[in-house]
Structures are given as C-alpha cells and as structure tokens.
Amino acid sequence: MSSLAIQKRQHQTKPNSNQNPVYRILFLISLCHLFNDSIQAVVVAMFPILELEMNLTYTQIGFIGFSLNMVSSVMQPVVGLVSDKKPMPYILPLGLTLSFIGLIGLAFIPTYIGIIVSVTLLGLGSAVFHPEGSRVAYMAAGNKRGLAQSIYQVGGNTGQALAPLITAFILVPLGQKGASIFALVALAAVLCLIFVSRWYANHLKLVQKKNIKKKATDGQTKIMKSVIWALITILILIFARTWYLSAISHYYTFYSIEVYGFTIEKSQIFLFTFLAMGAVGTFFGGPLADRFGKKTVISTSLIATIPLAIILPHTNPIWAFILLTLIGFIMMTSFSVTVVYAQELVPGKIGMMSGLTVGLAFGLGAIGSVALGNFADLVGIEMMMMTISFLPILGMLALLLPKNV
C-alpha cells in the first residue's frame, strides 16, 4: 500500500482525538451481546437434552447446529451491506424479537422440523444483531476503537463461555423446557436495545447535520487491490483461528474423557476455563491494539499460540489445563482486533466488514464442526487433536498484513 494511500485511509478512519467513548452505550451493547450469544449457547448446550428427549441421531444434532450457524453467517454480511447503504437503528430490537420467538419454539415444539425452524429464527436474530451491534460499538468508540470493539466482543465471548454452566445447572434439571428461561433473557435484550436504538438514531442525525457529504463519501469507498489481498489474509487467519477454536470447543471434552479418563463434569471445567480466558483475552486485545498497533496484536496473538497448541496434545492433565488457559487468552486477543482492522481497511463499509469477519467465523465454525467430527471418526479423536494443533501455523501469514491502516 502506497504511503499516499495509507495517509488518505488514516485520515478517513482516524477519530477526533478529543472525542471520548460513550461508555454507557458500549457497556449496554456489550451486555446485549452477552444476552444474544448466551442464547446461541443454549442451542449447543441443548444437544444432549434433545438427543435424549427426542431420540435424535448425531447427524440430526449436527444439522441443528449447522442450520443455526450457517443462517447467521450467510445473512450477517447481507444485513451489514444493506445497513451500510441505509442504516436501520430499530432493526436491533427486531432481531432479538426473532430470537425470543425461536426460544419459545425451542422450548416447547416437540418435532424435529419445529426445532430446525426455531434455530433458524435464532440464527436470523443473531445475523441482524452482530453487524449492527458492531456498528454501534464503532460509532460509540470515540478515539478508542480497539477498546470499544473489545468491550462489545467480550460480551459475546462471555455469553458463549456460559454454555457448560447452562448445561449443568439449567438444562440437565429442567430438560428442553429450560430453554424458556432464556426467552426472558431475550426480552431483556429487546428492552435494552430499544434504548440503544434511540441513541443510534439520534447519533445518525447529529452526524448528518455535521457532515452532509459523509454518507455519499462512505457509499463510494473504493477497494484497492492491496486492500483486497489484506482482506484475503485476514479471512485465512480467521479460518485458522476458528477451526482450532471449534476443535477445542466441540471435541476437547471427548478427548479429555478418552485420553485422561475425565468425567463429563471435569471435562466441562477445562472447557469453561478455556472459553472464559478467551473472553478475558478478547477484552485486553483492543486496548493493546490501541497502544501497539493492530497488526502487532494480530500477529503476536496467532504466532505465540503455535508452540502452545503443538505441545497441548502431548501433556498431562495439569499442564493441559495451564496450556488451555494460555491458548484461550492469547489466541482471542486478536478476535476483536481483526474486526476493527477489516473495518478500517474499508471505512465506508462498517456493517459489511463486521458481518463478513464475524459471520465468516460462524460459518467456518459450523463447517469445521462437521468436518472435524468426520475426521475424528476416521482417525480417532486423539489423532484429530494432534493434527489440528498445527493449524495455528497459518498465523504466520499475519506478518504479511499492511501495518498502517
């Protein structure tokens, strides 16, 4: 990327140095992100419950998760692209209303087709929420975009980390109907998002008054060849990170039971620690990027994980716990930073870039879950974990990213 192009892009994306983040909005949208992703976690947590109560096969269970994630991943860039052209502040509470309806269906519909329809509604709700939630974080960021995106994303990662606890304390004792409790969570999110949407709408009016030409300028953003290559690199990095995370999140429980002889409860503790430390890493990634640069955080996060991931399948349980803690924290410091990096590569397409990066993670997670499961069936769970441990090596490609965007 030429120095002139970099200077132009920095001018386009650099916020007012005197503008402070709107923390009340950032914390509120993060809370709603926690609500939304904990609702998504309910579906995964319900797998053993649905298998037992509805006598489903593993293939049927896998298709439930596939339906949820693929609908979300495909629709997120679409929602982002449409809202880039015409912002829709009040689509946020509408999205969580779809999730509310989906949860009611998930709790009370006794048929497999009904469950598929319900999780599809949940996927649509998530697809609406994520790009617009990321846009709100971007608008409320002020001069701390990395921190703002981290505050927003840590809510989602915390919600995902709750899945093992949801399984143990809610769904096991209550069964399928336990999902109805999270309908109340969806309602709470809808109420919070009505407030956020009002701020969003008012903020748009202020921006239009201050700079009438801004919308036209953003809508005509041209994507240069060097930017396209940078985006391709980012997408490859997301693939490597997401498939590794999918392997740990979906299959490390089975690995620890088979290799270490763990009980289900003990394996859930290991998984929860990994996911919880990932949420902590997500929070710290943004401030580190604001201080040291986005490329530095992305490359360090992924490259530093390489030796830890390779060692993990060859250790005893104590060291495995330590390594999972470190991997979860270090790898996820790049999560929110890659979103901001993509947004600043193409500053006029905030929603589409958010939908592309986060939505791709959902889609790749769905595909990875199926592909890794099939691979484990072929070669065994232990060999699958050993093979997937080399995937973070693709993180070396982060060194090729342009430094200044």
Side-chain angles (χ1 to χ4, degrees):
M1 187 182 295
S2 67
S3 59
L4 180 61
I6 291 171
Q7 290 174 3
K8 182 179 179 181
R9 191 165 298 283
Q10 287 176 322
H11 176 72
Q12 288 175 330
T13 60
K14 186 176 181 181
N16 187 334
S17 59
N18 295 322
Q19 186 179 1
N20 294 319
V22 186
Y23 284 109
R24 73 181 187 280
I25 296 299
L26 289 175
F27 289 131
L28 200 55
I29 197 68
S30 179
L31 178 64
C32 291
H33 200 181
L34 186 154
F35 288 160
N36 181 84
D37 282 27
S38 65
I39 290 169
Q40 306 299 317
V42 169
V43 178
V44 178
M46 282 190 69
F47 283 174
I49 307 299
L50 293 174
E51 179 194 15
L52 181 64
E53 295 191 0
M54 301 181 68
N55 196 28
L56 300 181
T57 65
Y58 288 123
T59 300
Q60 289 175 313
I61 290 292
F63 193 70
I64 291 173
F66 183 82
S67 300
L68 172 72
N69 289 326
M70 285 307 295
V71 168
S72 178
S73 65
V74 169
M75 291 304 298
Q76 279 193 49
V78 175
V79 172
L81 180 62
V82 171
S83 61
D84 282 333
K85 295 180 179 180
K86 185 177 181 180
M88 300 173 286
Y90 289 97
I91 199 173
L92 279 165
L94 175 62
L96 266 294
T97 300
L98 292 176
S99 295
F100 169 78
I101 297 171
L103 280 167
I104 295 297
L106 191 62
F108 297 107
I109 293 179
T111 65
Y112 178 67
I113 296 300
I115 296 298
I116 293 295
V117 172
S118 297
V119 299
T120 299
L121 288 173
L122 287 169
L124 287 172
S126 180
V128 169
F129 174 81
H130 279 101
E132 285 300 275
S134 186
R135 185 194 302 279
V136 169
Y138 187 92
M139 292 190 302
N143 57 358
K144 296 185 182 296
R145 285 184 180 167
L147 173 63
Q149 194 64 219
S150 284
I151 292 173
Y152 167 67
Q153 295 292 353
V154 76
N157 290 117
T158 302
Q160 294 169 19
L162 292 175
L165 302 183
I166 291 170
T167 302
F169 297 108
I170 298 177
L171 297 180
V172 169
L174 297 179
Q176 182 180 351
K177 290 182 174 59
S180 61
I181 293 176
F182 290 87
L184 299 177
V185 174
L187 279 178
V190 169
L191 295 176
C192 291
L193 287 172
I194 290 173
F195 177 85
V196 171
S197 295
R198 288 176 179 172
W199 177 88
Y200 182 174
N202 291 333
H203 182 83
L204 285 177
K205 291 178 182 178
L206 291 175
V207 169
Q208 289 169 356
K209 287 180 181 179
K210 290 181 179 179
N211 188 2
I212 298 175
K213 297 181 180 181
K214 177 176 172 56
K215 183 177 180 180
T217 301
D218 287 352
Q220 296 171 1
T221 298
K222 294 181 179 180
I223 303 179
M224 296 177 293
K225 187 175 181 180
S226 57
V227 172
I228 292 174
W229 281 111
L231 282 175
I232 291 173
T233 303
I234 282 291
L235 297 183
I236 293 173
L237 297 176
I238 291 174
F239 158 76
R241 185 182 64 209
T242 300
W243 271 48
Y244 184 80
L245 293 172
S246 182
I248 300 296
S249 300
H250 291 87
Y251 298 105
Y252 195 80
T253 294
F254 302 105
Y255 174 84
S256 62
I257 291 172
E258 180 175 318
V259 176
Y260 298 138
F262 283 179
T263 62
I264 294 178
E265 290 79 7
K266 190 171 183 179
S267 68
Q268 292 296 302
I269 293 173
F270 273 54
L271 179 58
F272 173 72
T273 301
F274 173 78
L275 296 173
M277 290 307 298
V280 176
T282 298
F283 175 77
F284 281 99
L288 289 172
D290 287 336
R291 182 175 179 83
F292 299 107
K294 289 175 283 296
K295 178 183 176 179
T296 300
V297 171
I298 293 172
S299 57
T300 301
S301 166
L302 298 174
I303 294 172
T305 307
I306 295 172
L308 304 178
I310 293 174
I311 294 171
L312 177 63
H314 306 282
T315 59
N316 60 39
I318 295 175
W319 276 107
F321 184 85
I322 295 171
L323 289 172
L324 282 171
T325 300
L326 293 174
I327 293 170
F329 177 84
I330 296 172
M331 181 172 280
M332 291 302 288
T333 55
S334 66
F335 185 83
S336 62
V337 183
T338 52
V339 177
V340 177
Y341 189 95
Q343 288 175 338
E344 295 191 356
L345 276 173
V346 191
K349 304 292 183 182
I350 302 303
M352 187 177 73
M353 287 301 102
S354 174
L356 181 64
T357 52
V358 180
L360 181 70
F362 274 92
L364 288 176
I367 296 170
S369 178
V370 175
L372 293 171
N374 288 334
F375 186 54
D377 286 335
L378 290 173
V379 302
I381 192 74
E382 187 172 1
M383 180 57 68
M384 186 275 281
M385 293 302 301
M386 288 183 181
T387 303
I388 207 72
S389 68
F390 292 95
L391 196 56
I393 291 176
L394 288 175
M396 297 287 291
L397 292 175
L399 297 174
L400 301 178
L401 291 171
K403 183 175 183 180
N404 297 313
V405 294

